[in-house]
Amino acid sequence: MNVTKESTTEGESLIETTAGLSDETKVREIELYVTTPEYDPIRYELGLMVSEEWKKLGFDVKVTPLEWNRLSELGMQQKDFDAFTLAWAGRAERIDPDHFVYSTLHSSQAVEGAYNIPGYNNPEFDKLAELQRTLSDPDERREVIHQAEEIFLEDLPYAPIMHRDQVMAFNKTNFTNVKYMLGEGLNSFWTFMNLEPTGERKEVRWGYPSDIDTLNPLVSTNTHDFQVTRLMYDRLVRISENGEPQNWAAEEINDVNKDGMTYEVTIRQGMKFHDGEPVTAEDVKFSFDFVKEVQSPFFLGMVKPIDSVELVDEYTVRFNLKEPYAPFISNTLAQMYIFPEHYWQPIFDQGGATAVLEHTNEDIIGSGPFKLDYWTRDQEMKMTRVDDYFSPAKVESILSIPYANTQSMVAAIDKGEADIGGWWIEPIQIDNLKKNENIEIINVPDPGFYHINYNMRREPFDDKAVRLAMSYVIPKQRILDEILEGYGTMAHSFIGPSNEFWYNENVGSFNYDAEKAVGFLKEAGYQWDENGKIHSPE
Amino acid sequence: MSGISWFVGKRILQSIVTLFVLLTLLFFMFRILPGDPTTMFVDAALPVEAQEAVLQQFGLDKPLSEQYWLYLKNFVQGDFGISFTSREPVVEVIGHYILPTMMLMGFTILVALLIGVVFGALAAWYRGTKFEAAIVSVALFFKSAPIFWVGMVALALLSYTLNLFPTGGMYEPGKESTGFFQTYMNLDFLHHLILPVIVGSLYYIANPLLIMRSSMIEVMEEDFIEMNRAKGLKESTIMFRHAMRNAMLPVVTEIALLIGFAIGGQVLLEVVFNWPGIGRLIVEAIQRNDYPVAQATFFLMGFIVIVLNLFADLLYGLLDPRVSYK
């Protein structure tokens, strides 16, 4: 790839200026919001590089770094912005494309607090986004998603730029068989299920640059909380290492009438909670009803498609949905925890929802492969293997160590104090760690992506020509090389090549092409004055 | 009414008014900052219903005046509310962090005070010599150098290269330190404490040192020092017994201030040495709009400064008979 191609001033030379354009038609100054360099240097640098290219098209661009709180208030909640850089993190549950195709692009999600940030409203796209939710046949559904991607690429409400690789470090002195996973890296559930001790120490030490907020998943909203509690609570379905939903506590899942409206789930027999009580279908039904009853923030959205849950027998429950919801297995069943009814009901009976939500859950009782030994906030947490679990882990215990920041975490891995680093490491730290022969650096492509949102509610972004032109001058290759130092891949759509099942090999692409960019603008009637500034069509 | 009780009463009343103003400022300060607790839900992409549910659970859907009234009412009853992130009572959250901070900052301030006072006195005693210049320059160097930088250099040198000290934390991982004695009453803890205390006290030495120095210089010009010399007392006796004792007074006020700030922890020190202290809690509470924790920790800091200042004022009269109350 010829890198210099993206840094020319071709754009400028392609512009033909016209004399005597009125000041009134001049396109107003646009403001690009980025994060502060301290919060995320990548989004900051990226914004500066992109703005330089936009200026070459004749736009007046101001780059404004904002604190994350302010940025998310303006951009996410109030939708009061021109353009801003954002990164959707990859997650196991985001391998299913519903979040991207529906939550970030369906017109119903363009309201305050929801995630259609650009305000994209294309009825044709909406139809496909709705249709894919109703198709329980994955191949059919994939076909529809691919059609939606085509429309997306014609409109570009936001411009995907790149997938940043999850680069994480692992000290292999004491453990082997490390399994990492798309969207999760080393924090994956499978890491802890598969790791095998090779030496004396059977306790794996898991470093992370912060601690969890709470052991009560009913109030957790933080990703790391769930990375920890999902080791202690069980799920009916877990997303496998290759990204597909796999029955876990569920033995069988039947789409009873083959219409995606009714699912019957039979759970594995003989499962036990950590206090010895058996796991029954009643606990499953209870869990789904309970999160709705107490308005648990994280689980609330997941149970929304469910109309009712019925007990069929001791080991079987039936879910009646309000309407067909294709991500039901991969998003709802694969994220919901099985809560013990005998533990939570008395708390609810005594103090209602408030008592449940303010319960610290420090004696956390789940039915997962690990149980809590102790937790000292911001110091350490120990989880011990459940030996009679149906698929026991190979490590005896997990010691989770919260560090104050990524640097101390990386230093601990380097020194061998921690075995697994649960956070991205920076290119500069990678080179340092590579000197240590006990360190293995893993490099997992991420389905999440960096992108720039255009606010389609205002000019000039309401004009497709402007969005396309701006997107076609994003120097993606240069950003990859210079900012990510090669640890990433280009993004063109909301589904990346790492997401093998859902990826469309023939998806269109948009790469740096200043000529094409100017072409879009000319065709739409934009003109440039003697100073090279762009003017709207009359 | 005698002068002293009038003065004490007035000072206590002043302190109460200051505390009320502080409470009010804290309430509005954090709410004026951009965002609300739901800002942080973007990460998990929580739906609108969830955001609304949470705002309601926190009482943030109520009008501001009602929130403020509730806040004052609960405060009077000693209730600081529930943390928005952990949903634990704020008092308990602070409880997790206060002890590590008190340990770290207590020793840090103590060492800084001892060294500061002694070397401040020596600097004044040897005024105009190279010795004085050296002491003052070194103290000022560590005061101006960023504490995280000094910390990182110390770590790189003493921990990574020479392997003398651990790289951070309060104890070796996996020790199951759940009780007070297990955590603090052992050599492992001491070993982890030394480096951050050295780095922290280097930073704090300058304040007591410079105050002691100037106060000592003043005292040394007083007649009674000449008098003592005339009596033929040893120089060291004059310095330690007579001059230093009298020069200590202004340092008392400084101690009050230092302790107040110490309760807030030293964020950078805690971050560099991975110390699970209250400074880190405060920063996180602000970043994540955890109003109740932010309010309570700031209030605690303010409360201690105000109360200790009150004590320092009152103590002045006891320490220095020349101070009279009107």
Side-chain angles (χ1 to χ4, degrees):
Chain A
M1 178 76 53
N2 187 352
V3 176
T4 50
K5 249 170 107 186
E6 289 186 348
S7 53
T8 57
T9 49
E10 273 174 68
E12 270 176 314
S13 59
L14 292 163
I15 290 168
E16 294 157 20
T17 56
T18 311
L21 289 176
S22 143
D23 261 1
E24 277 167 33
T25 58
K26 190 164 172 266
V27 174
R28 68 180 176 91
E29 183 187 66
I30 53 183
E31 202 173 0
L32 174 62
Y33 290 155
V34 295
T35 57
T36 55
E38 295 79 24
Y39 184 84
D40 180 8
I42 296 176
R43 268 174 267 182
Y44 176 79
E45 295 287 339
L46 181 154
L48 292 181
M49 278 169 87
V50 169
S51 73
E52 284 312 308
E53 299 302 322
W54 289 357
K55 282 177 192 162
K56 287 177 193 165
L57 289 177
F59 291 99
D60 281 330
V61 189
K62 191 170 127 197
V63 179
T64 312
L66 292 175
E67 281 298 325
W68 174 248
N69 270 332
R70 184 76 183 135
L71 189 63
S72 97
E73 182 179 44
L74 288 176
M76 304 284 205
Q77 290 178 313
Q78 298 167 1
K79 313 283 192 293
D80 180 11
F81 68 98
D82 285 344
F84 87 93
T85 56
L86 186 69
W88 281 119
R91 299 262 162 74
E93 63 273 11
R94 285 186 191 156
I95 292 172
D96 186 293
D98 189 64
H99 169 72
F100 295 119
V101 82
Y102 196 90
S103 302
T104 75
L105 291 164
H106 189 272
S107 61
S108 67
Q109 305 299 304
V111 294
E112 185 165 330
Y115 301 98
N116 177 351
I117 293 160
Y120 186 43
N121 183 356
N122 181 339
E124 211 186 329
F125 185 95
D126 278 359
K127 238 183 256 164
L128 295 171
E130 288 156 23
L131 179 62
Q132 62 84 24
R133 282 194 154 183
T134 66
L135 302 172
S136 41
D137 176 48
D139 293 321
E140 261 179 77
R141 190 172 161 221
R142 176 166 60 181
E143 203 42 55
V144 173
I145 301 268
H146 289 179
Q147 288 170 25
E149 275 183 288
E150 272 170 38
I151 300 177
F152 168 83
L153 270 157
E154 274 171 34
D155 288 338
L156 286 182
Y158 55 76
I161 299 173
M162 67 204 174
H163 306 276
R164 181 189 181 190
D165 287 354
Q166 276 193 317
V167 185
M168 294 187 174
F170 166 66
N171 192 320
K172 54 192 178 189
T173 315
N174 291 303
F175 295 91
T176 177
N177 198 25
V178 58
K179 293 269 161 88
Y180 37 85
M181 175 185 173
L182 197 62
E184 299 277 334
L186 288 175
N187 296 316
S188 153
F189 176 75
W190 308 107
T191 305
F192 299 99
M193 294 303 279
N194 288 299
L195 271 183
E196 284 173 37
T198 53
E200 288 281 287
R201 182 150 62 79
K202 314 272 186 239
E203 175 173 83
V204 62
R205 292 173 178 176
W206 177 18
Y208 198 86
S210 67
D211 205 354
I212 60 166
D213 287 340
T214 165
L215 280 168
N216 182 354
L218 292 163
V219 290
S220 285
T221 52
N222 194 335
T223 315
H224 188 49
D225 284 20
F226 292 100
Q227 289 170 345
V228 170
T229 50
R230 72 182 170 202
L231 294 160
M232 295 183 272
Y233 282 105
D234 246 335
R235 288 169 163 164
L236 290 169
V237 171
R238 293 196 191 256
I239 306 291
S240 77
E241 289 150 77
N242 353 325
E244 282 153 30
Q246 166 189 342
N247 288 357
W248 192 254
E251 206 161 53
E252 220 189 314
I253 300 175
N254 279 324
D255 179 354
V256 184
N257 305 317
K258 304 276 168 258
D259 58 358
M261 289 285 287
T262 318
Y263 288 89
E264 255 183 29
V265 178
T266 310
I267 62 165
R268 210 179 267 276
Q269 300 195 7
M271 290 189 296
K272 272 188 245 149
F273 287 109
H274 300 152
D275 58 359
E277 294 288 321
V279 180
T280 65
E282 271 185 67
D283 292 303
V284 175
K285 173 180 158 52
F286 166 80
S287 305
F288 282 84
D289 294 340
F290 197 51
V291 298
K292 210 181 232 170
E293 175 79 51
V294 301
Q295 298 271 296
S296 160
F298 183 75
F299 296 109
L300 204 53
M302 277 161 228
V303 297
K304 208 175 144 191
I306 301 173
D307 182 51
S308 64
V309 190
E310 293 170 61
L311 271 181
V312 178
D313 58 49
E314 201 185 340
Y315 292 102
T316 313
V317 277
R318 185 184 294 133
F319 295 95
N320 301 308
L321 306 197
K322 290 176 189 148
E323 55 194 3
Y325 180 62
F328 183 66
I329 294 174
S330 59
N331 277 6
T332 303
L333 297 187
Q335 288 199 87
M336 193 52 205
Y337 286 157
I338 304 176
F339 293 103
E341 184 177 9
H342 65 275
Y343 179 91
W344 288 98
Q345 192 60 49
I347 299 175
F348 182 79
D349 291 341
Q350 277 206 336
T354 312
V356 169
L357 297 175
E358 289 175 8
H359 180 63
T360 54
N361 207 21
E362 266 156 359
D363 53 347
I364 181 167
I365 303 280
S367 58
F370 290 90
K371 57 176 187 261
L372 184 72
D373 192 332
Y374 62 88
W375 177 38
T376 318
R377 192 179 280 277
D378 257 333
Q379 296 178 28
E380 58 182 39
M381 174 190 286
K382 185 176 172 178
M383 290 172 271
T384 318
R385 176 180 64 202
V386 176
D387 291 329
D388 59 357
Y389 190 68
F390 63 85
S391 165
K394 298 175 185 89
V395 292
E396 257 172 27
S397 51
I398 303 169
L399 189 71
S400 159
I401 312 175
Y403 290 93
N405 54 26
T406 322
Q407 283 99 303
S408 353
M409 183 198 81
V410 170
I413 297 202
D414 199 6
K415 275 201 114 187
E417 182 188 294
D419 306 302
I420 286 176
W423 197 253
W424 279 261
I425 47 180
E426 304 293 331
I428 183 170
Q429 297 167 325
I430 298 174
D431 295 337
N432 249 328
L433 281 176
K434 276 187 174 158
K435 291 177 201 148
N436 184 340
E437 54 181 24
N438 288 325
I439 302 287
E440 193 174 313
I441 308 266
I442 64 138
N443 194 353
V444 200
D446 189 28
F449 55 92
Y450 282 77
H451 59 286
I452 293 182
N453 284 294
Y454 304 119
N455 196 344
M456 295 174 68
R457 301 165 187 84
R458 11 177 119 158
E459 25 158 39
F461 305 100
D462 54 348
D463 189 344
K464 184 159 116 180
V466 171
R467 297 194 306 272
L468 288 175
M470 287 183 151
S471 305
Y472 271 83
V473 293
I474 297 174
K476 291 184 187 175
Q477 188 62 43
R478 212 149 47 88
I479 291 171
L480 269 181
D481 292 340
E482 290 174 20
I483 304 181
L484 291 190
E485 300 194 17
Y487 292 102
T489 41
M490 273 194 205
H492 302 290
S493 158
F494 45 81
I495 297 170
S498 63
N499 195 349
E500 283 170 27
F501 180 80
W502 297 102
Y503 179 62
N504 180 3
E505 284 173 355
N506 306 316
V507 72
S509 64
F510 64 99
N511 287 308
Y512 186 89
D513 189 339
E515 204 172 321
K516 218 168 173 178
V518 173
F520 287 127
L521 293 169
K522 269 189 200 163
E523 206 180 310
Y526 286 83
Q527 288 179 299
W528 287 267
D529 62 22
E530 291 94 333
N531 302 321
K533 297 292 177 202
I534 191 161
H535 288 246
S536 326
E538 299 292 320
Chain B
M1 210 195 275
S2 75
I4 176 105
S5 48
W6 170 239
F7 174 80
V8 171
K10 199 174 75 179
R11 281 294 283 114
I12 290 176
L13 206 70
Q14 271 176 356
S15 301
I16 290 173
V17 172
T18 316
L19 283 175
F20 174 76
V21 172
L22 177 70
L23 265 180
T24 306
L25 277 178
L26 288 176
F27 178 86
F28 290 101
M29 191 168 88
F30 293 114
R31 280 163 180 79
I32 287 168
L33 287 178
D36 61 48
T38 62
T39 318
M40 289 298 145
F41 292 4
V42 173
D43 176 43
L46 293 190
V48 181
E49 306 93 278
Q51 297 173 27
E52 282 165 1
V54 166
L55 288 182
Q56 204 188 343
Q57 285 159 14
F58 294 157
L60 292 173
D61 55 337
K62 298 193 178 88
L64 209 58
S65 54
E66 200 182 324
Q67 287 181 45
Y68 176 61
W69 173 240
L70 253 166
Y71 163 79
L72 288 182
K73 207 173 87 184
N74 288 341
F75 170 78
V76 174
Q77 293 164 355
D79 176 6
F80 284 91
I82 300 288
S83 157
F84 288 171
T85 50
S86 74
R87 306 244 189 165
E88 249 183 298
V90 171
V91 178
E92 275 169 41
V93 176
I94 293 177
H96 297 306
Y97 293 89
I98 195 89
L99 218 52
T101 287
M102 276 167 66
M103 286 286 170
L104 175 62
M105 295 312 285
F107 281 104
T108 299
I109 299 291
L110 194 71
V111 171
L113 276 174
L114 283 177
I115 299 181
V117 166
V118 171
F119 279 82
L122 286 171
W125 201 257
Y126 296 106
R127 205 178 172 198
T129 64
K130 279 193 179 143
F131 175 71
E132 187 214 6
I135 290 179
V136 173
S137 321
V138 169
L140 284 178
F141 172 79
F142 284 111
K143 181 85 209 171
S144 346
I147 195 164
F148 66 87
W149 178 78
V150 177
M152 274 152 73
V153 170
L155 274 175
L157 214 69
L158 299 172
S159 296
Y160 290 108
T161 316
L162 297 175
N163 244 325
L164 289 176
F165 295 103
T167 52
M170 293 204 306
Y171 45 81
E172 286 304 308
K175 231 183 56 164
E176 195 175 351
S177 293
T178 38
F180 178 81
F181 282 92
Q182 274 170 311
T183 313
Y184 302 107
M185 292 295 156
N186 55 62
L187 287 175
D188 186 33
F189 173 72
L190 204 65
H191 192 209
H192 282 77
L193 182 71
I194 293 175
L195 203 55
V197 165
I198 293 177
V199 172
S201 47
L202 280 174
Y203 176 77
Y204 285 107
I205 277 176
N207 291 30
L209 186 138
L210 293 178
I211 291 171
M212 188 64 191
R213 179 178 155 274
S214 41
S215 154
M216 186 81 170
I217 288 170
E218 253 175 62
V219 171
M220 278 163 58
E221 280 161 12
E222 307 251 346
D223 295 339
F224 75 92
I225 299 284
E226 274 312 301
M227 185 68 184
N228 282 329
R229 286 217 171 93
K231 277 203 287 193
L233 291 180
K234 275 202 298 193
E235 282 291 295
S236 59
T237 318
I238 301 176
M239 181 169 103
F240 288 112
R241 274 273 188 73
H242 301 275
M244 262 178 86
R245 266 175 132 180
N246 282 290
M248 283 287 287
L249 226 45
V251 181
V252 172
T253 321
E254 178 65 16
I255 294 176
L257 274 177
L258 276 182
I259 293 178
F261 285 115
I263 292 297
Q266 227 308 339
V267 181
L268 296 172
L269 195 63
E270 288 177 358
V271 168
V272 172
F273 289 97
N274 202 31
W275 200 267
I278 217 158
R280 272 163 66 188
L281 174 71
I282 294 180
V283 171
E284 203 164 288
I286 296 171
Q287 279 172 350
R288 304 181 58 185
N289 293 314
D290 192 344
Y291 304 149
V293 171
Q295 284 159 355
T297 44
F298 272 76
F299 178 77
L300 186 68
M301 274 156 64
F303 178 77
I304 288 176
V305 171
I306 291 168
V307 169
L308 287 181
N309 255 320
L310 178 68
F311 273 121
D313 274 6
L314 301 179
L315 215 61
Y316 250 62
L318 290 178
L319 294 176
D320 187 348
R322 288 170 300 177
V323 176
S324 61
Y325 301 103
K326 280 176 194 153

